Short mmCIF file of all heavy atoms in Angstrom, two decimals:
data_model
loop_
_atom_site.label_atom_id
_atom_site.label_comp_id
_atom_site.label_asym_id
_atom_site.label_seq_id
_atom_site.Cartn_x
_atom_site.Cartn_y
_atom_site.Cartn_z
N GLN A 3 62.54 106.35 141.06
CA GLN A 3 62.32 106.03 139.64
C GLN A 3 62.56 107.40 138.89
O GLN A 3 62.08 108.37 139.19
CB GLN A 3 61.07 105.47 139.31
CG GLN A 3 60.84 104.13 139.81
CD GLN A 3 60.33 104.23 141.36
OE1 GLN A 3 59.41 104.95 141.66
NE2 GLN A 3 60.87 103.39 142.21
N VAL A 5 62.99 109.20 134.81
CA VAL A 5 62.61 109.15 133.48
C VAL A 5 63.29 110.38 132.77
O VAL A 5 62.93 111.42 133.11
CB VAL A 5 61.23 108.98 133.25
CG1 VAL A 5 60.96 109.06 131.61
CG2 VAL A 5 60.62 107.86 133.77
N THR A 11 68.91 115.09 117.81
CA THR A 11 70.05 115.31 117.01
C THR A 11 70.16 116.93 116.72
O THR A 11 69.14 117.55 116.35
CB THR A 11 69.83 114.55 115.63
OG1 THR A 11 69.77 113.25 115.93
CG2 THR A 11 71.07 114.91 114.66
N LEU A 20 67.73 118.81 128.48
CA LEU A 20 67.22 117.45 128.97
C LEU A 20 66.38 117.68 130.26
O LEU A 20 66.73 118.48 130.95
CB LEU A 20 68.49 116.57 129.17
CG LEU A 20 69.39 116.37 128.04
CD1 LEU A 20 70.48 115.43 128.46
CD2 LEU A 20 68.73 115.91 126.68
N SER A 25 60.21 110.02 140.70
CA SER A 25 59.11 109.69 141.49
C SER A 25 59.36 108.58 142.45
O SER A 25 60.40 107.94 142.32
CB SER A 25 58.01 109.24 140.52
OG SER A 25 58.38 108.08 139.78
N TYR A 32 68.13 113.58 148.73
CA TYR A 32 68.89 113.05 147.59
C TYR A 32 69.64 114.20 146.72
O TYR A 32 69.22 115.34 146.84
CB TYR A 32 67.94 112.43 146.62
CG TYR A 32 67.40 110.96 147.00
CD1 TYR A 32 66.45 110.76 147.95
CD2 TYR A 32 68.03 109.88 146.50
CE1 TYR A 32 65.98 109.60 148.32
CE2 TYR A 32 67.56 108.62 146.97
CZ TYR A 32 66.50 108.45 147.78
OH TYR A 32 66.28 107.15 148.26
N GLU A 46 80.57 108.76 132.25
CA GLU A 46 81.25 110.08 132.68
C GLU A 46 80.26 110.89 133.47
O GLU A 46 79.16 111.16 132.99
CB GLU A 46 81.72 110.78 131.49
CG GLU A 46 82.35 112.13 131.80
CD GLU A 46 82.73 112.93 130.67
OE1 GLU A 46 82.24 112.49 129.51
OE2 GLU A 46 83.53 113.90 130.68
N GLY A 47 80.74 111.41 134.65
CA GLY A 47 79.94 112.28 135.44
C GLY A 47 79.94 113.77 134.72
O GLY A 47 80.97 114.22 134.36
N ILE A 48 78.73 114.33 134.70
CA ILE A 48 78.64 115.67 134.05
C ILE A 48 78.50 116.71 135.09
O ILE A 48 79.12 117.66 135.29
CB ILE A 48 77.48 115.65 133.07
CG1 ILE A 48 77.80 114.67 131.91
CG2 ILE A 48 77.25 117.06 132.47
CD1 ILE A 48 79.08 114.99 131.19
N VAL A 65 82.64 120.18 130.99
CA VAL A 65 81.51 120.91 130.60
C VAL A 65 81.23 122.22 131.23
O VAL A 65 80.33 122.91 131.02
CB VAL A 65 80.25 120.11 130.70
CG1 VAL A 65 80.38 118.73 130.02
CG2 VAL A 65 80.01 119.79 132.21
N VAL A 80 64.77 117.73 137.38
CA VAL A 80 66.06 118.41 137.10
C VAL A 80 66.12 118.40 135.72
O VAL A 80 65.64 117.63 134.87
CB VAL A 80 67.21 117.64 137.76
CG1 VAL A 80 67.08 117.71 139.29
CG2 VAL A 80 67.32 116.28 137.35
N MET A 84 72.27 122.34 127.77
CA MET A 84 73.49 122.10 127.15
C MET A 84 73.63 123.03 125.94
O MET A 84 72.76 123.02 125.09
CB MET A 84 73.55 120.60 126.53
CG MET A 84 73.38 119.66 127.66
SD MET A 84 73.65 117.90 126.95
CE MET A 84 72.27 117.84 125.95
N LEU A 87 77.10 122.69 121.76
CA LEU A 87 77.26 121.25 121.74
C LEU A 87 78.40 120.94 120.59
O LEU A 87 78.45 121.65 119.63
CB LEU A 87 76.06 120.49 121.39
CG LEU A 87 75.12 120.33 122.48
CD1 LEU A 87 73.74 119.98 122.05
CD2 LEU A 87 75.56 119.33 123.51
N CYS A 97 70.16 110.16 133.81
CA CYS A 97 69.89 110.90 135.04
C CYS A 97 70.01 109.86 136.25
O CYS A 97 69.76 108.61 136.04
CB CYS A 97 68.49 111.40 135.14
SG CYS A 97 67.94 112.30 136.68
N PRO A 103 74.08 112.15 151.70
CA PRO A 103 75.14 111.96 152.50
C PRO A 103 76.24 111.01 152.08
O PRO A 103 77.40 111.14 152.33
CB PRO A 103 74.60 111.21 153.86
CG PRO A 103 73.18 111.76 153.78
CD PRO A 103 72.85 111.79 152.28
N ALA A 113 80.54 107.84 143.94
CA ALA A 113 79.35 107.66 144.82
C ALA A 113 78.11 107.37 143.91
O ALA A 113 77.33 106.46 144.23
CB ALA A 113 79.09 108.90 145.69
N ILE A 115 78.17 106.17 140.85
CA ILE A 115 78.36 104.86 140.17
C ILE A 115 78.08 103.73 141.13
O ILE A 115 77.47 102.69 140.69
CB ILE A 115 79.77 104.80 139.60
CG1 ILE A 115 79.97 105.84 138.47
CG2 ILE A 115 80.12 103.38 139.20
CD1 ILE A 115 79.20 105.57 137.21
N GLN A 122 66.61 105.34 132.26
CA GLN A 122 66.91 104.62 131.07
C GLN A 122 67.83 105.22 130.10
O GLN A 122 68.59 104.60 129.22
CB GLN A 122 65.56 104.18 130.37
CG GLN A 122 65.69 103.29 129.21
CD GLN A 122 66.15 101.91 129.69
OE1 GLN A 122 65.66 101.47 130.64
NE2 GLN A 122 67.00 101.33 128.84
N THR A 127 72.83 113.40 119.93
CA THR A 127 73.71 113.20 118.68
C THR A 127 74.03 114.64 118.10
O THR A 127 73.10 115.43 117.89
CB THR A 127 72.93 112.33 117.60
OG1 THR A 127 72.64 111.06 118.14
CG2 THR A 127 73.82 112.20 116.42
#
Side-chain angles (χ1 to χ4, degrees):
Q3 294 82 47
V5 179
T11 301
L20 308 181
S25 63
Y32 281 83
E46 176 189 14
I48 300 300
V65 301
V80 295
M84 304 186 294
L87 284 161
C97 182
I115 293 294
Q122 187 65 36
T127 301

